[in-house]
Amino acid sequence: MIKVPAWLRKRLSRRVVLGGGLAAASGAAIGMTGALAQSGHASHAGTVGAEAKLASAHRGAHGAMITVGEVDEARNGFDPTKLLTDWDRGTVSQLPDGRTLRTFEITAEDKEIEIAPGIMFLAWTYNGRVPGPSLRATEGERLRIVFKNYGSHPHSMHFHGIHAARMDGVPGAGLVAPGEEFVYEFDARPFGCHLYHCHALPLKRHIHKGMYGAFVIDPDPTRHPEYEAVARSRLLGTAENAEWQELVMVMNAFDTNFDGKNEVYAVNTVAHAYAKKPIKILRDKPVRVYLINVIEFDPINSFHLHANFFEYFNQGTTLTPTLKTVDLITQCQAERGILEFHFTEHEPGLYMFHPHQSEFTELGWVGMFDVVETVS
Ligand SMILES: [Cu+2]
């Protein structure tokens, strides 16, 4: 196999993506995949074989409709694989009445990010990443979010949760001018899989520029005696929770030419990230996905899991499933929920997940679970 030097690999990959289109790049893609596999360029050496297999599978399944080349994760400052499990738990202290006060510090910043190989997007970010940090708290805590706007436009943080009108993060109630600061404070409730986003106007522009993130409130088991075991399994830090493989997936999209339509779709921003680097799943451990849809311009998004079915907790606000034994759910903007499934009885291998809007898949939103035997 011919070894392609790194500089040429980079130039080639960008040229084919930008100039030739994805389908026309199939020949180059085959060559590139070989080069990547041989050079061990992937950050996880163990996934190289899986990537090569996957690239091959994709050429068959989607006619090479997959991005070619790599996104510079170091320059972006975030790695889609790490985003899956990267929870921001803030800092914790105790209030005089004994309750827990959890404090998060968030800044708004303008930042150019790479959303597909060679495709840059001038984003507005929370803490320099898209999606913003995945905030995680426990039901009943007092939350304090210190928000500083270092961006070039007014921004806010509007939380999907229960709070006072003056904490709503809308114009007149927590909209923050550039260089200013605001402190949002409210109780963490109800438990569930929520989100926060900027509520400055025009709303669809501020959201789609990258100003959104997961906001998960774990149930307090002592408040749910009838489902205490389930609540404990949802509570980060417990032994019961450690039995699960939890992933946060924010379905997003980008209008790169300001025509009111999206050109690139993804989970956690980078097109085809989890198709190229499948998500490792230990076969014996159940999986819980916190799934949030924030795409603008398209009225609906969906999540379909191949070769398996799952239970679904709409908005995560119940401890019993709201849908049982489904392999597809739909979400409109800001809709979200929790998926629970397992591969215990499956043979190891690559299991695909994607929306059932095929166009979204071809434009970046498709991934793979790499189910492996549990390593003892
Ligand atoms: Cu904004």
Side-chain angles (χ1 to χ4, degrees):
M1 211 172 280
I2 299 165
K3 186 158 184 171
V4 180
W7 65 270
L8 180 59
R9 186 166 63 230
K10 205 165 185 178
R11 287 185 57 183
L12 270 176
S13 61
R14 291 190 177 185
R15 191 177 304 147
V16 290
V17 167
L18 294 173
L22 301 177
S26 60
I30 293 165
M32 299 314 295
T33 305
L36 290 177
Q38 190 188 36
S39 66
H41 192 85
S43 54
H44 308 290
T47 66
V48 169
E51 282 170 43
K53 263 192 291 181
L54 180 70
S56 169
H58 264 286
R59 281 193 293 276
H62 289 285
M65 296 295 280
I66 192 164
T67 54
V68 177
E70 287 179 79
V71 161
D72 188 338
E73 289 159 1
R75 181 179 54 198
N76 270 354
F78 54 86
D79 170 348
T81 298
K82 291 184 182 145
L83 290 185
L84 290 166
T85 53
D86 183 17
W87 297 103
D88 184 343
R89 308 195 68 191
T91 54
V92 167
S93 59
Q94 208 167 39
L95 293 166
D97 66 2
R99 290 174 66 201
T100 295
L101 171 68
R102 194 176 290 274
T103 304
F104 298 99
E105 298 199 5
I106 311 287
T107 58
E109 307 159 35
D110 298 0
K111 184 174 178 180
E112 193 177 51
I113 59 171
E114 192 177 8
I115 56 173
I119 299 178
M120 307 304 291
F121 182 79
L122 186 53
W124 297 340
T125 74
Y126 291 116
N127 287 6
R129 44 171 275 181
V130 178
S134 301
L135 308 182
R136 192 150 175 181
T138 303
E139 182 182 17
E141 292 174 338
R142 188 69 171 170
L143 303 184
R144 183 175 288 166
I145 301 101
V146 181
F147 176 55
K148 296 174 181 168
N149 184 1
Y150 297 143
S152 56
H153 292 70
H155 296 301
S156 74
M157 294 183 75
H158 165 70
F159 286 84
H160 285 236
I162 297 170
H163 49 250
R166 64 199 159 78
M167 294 294 160
D168 203 33
V170 295
L175 185 72
V176 184
E180 303 288 316
E181 173 182 327
F182 188 85
V183 179
Y184 303 96
E185 197 168 314
F186 45 83
D187 292 341
R189 66 193 174 109
F191 73 83
C193 174
H194 307 305
L195 73 156
Y196 63 89
H197 60 83
C198 180
H199 216 299
L201 300 174
L203 185 59
K204 65 183 175 186
R205 279 290 160 204
H206 278 257
I207 291 179
H208 128 280
K209 281 285 243 177
M211 306 206 76
Y212 44 74
F215 173 44
V216 172
I217 301 176
D218 293 336
D220 172 0
T222 64
R223 298 180 183 213
H224 309 282
E226 71 283 28
Y227 296 112
E228 193 183 344
V230 179
R232 287 188 68 78
S233 89
R234 293 257 290 262
L235 179 59
L236 191 61
T238 64
E240 292 87 341
N241 179 262
E243 294 298 312
W244 289 75
Q245 300 174 84
E246 292 193 328
L247 306 165
V248 59
M249 294 191 183
V250 178
M251 302 190 287
N252 52 0
F254 300 90
D255 172 13
T256 56
N257 58 1
F258 308 105
D259 64 351
K261 295 175 187 162
N262 295 309
E263 283 74 42
V264 175
Y265 294 80
V267 156
N268 295 340
T269 301
V270 177
H272 292 140
Y274 307 121
K276 293 175 175 174
K277 279 188 196 168
I279 300 168
K280 195 80 80 186
I281 296 294
L282 300 179
R283 189 172 72 164
D284 294 343
K285 293 184 90 172
V287 183
R288 180 180 287 133
V289 175
Y290 294 88
L291 181 73
I292 298 162
N293 177 38
V294 293
I295 62 167
E296 284 292 339
F297 312 121
D298 293 285
I300 207 157
N301 203 338
S302 61
F303 184 106
H304 167 52
L305 177 62
H306 277 214
N308 208 341
F309 281 71
F310 54 84
E311 297 196 319
Y312 188 64
F313 302 72
N314 187 21
Q315 313 211 17
T317 46
T318 59
L319 295 173
T320 52
T322 49
L323 283 175
K324 287 185 176 179
T325 323
V326 292
D327 69 357
L328 182 143
I329 55 96
T330 54
Q331 293 185 346
C332 75
Q333 283 108 336
E335 201 164 353
R336 67 280 181 187
I338 297 173
L339 287 69
E340 291 184 354
F341 50 93
H342 62 81
F343 289 96
T344 319
E345 292 155 22
H346 282 67
E347 61 183 52
L350 292 168
Y351 293 92
M352 190 181 283
F353 59 95
H354 62 87
H356 231 289
Q357 289 90 337
S358 307
E359 183 192 15
F360 296 1
T361 298
E362 290 167 358
L363 292 172
W365 172 180
V366 58
M368 288 280 186
F369 291 118
D370 184 10
V371 176
V372 297
E373 302 271 10
T374 303
V375 181
S376 56

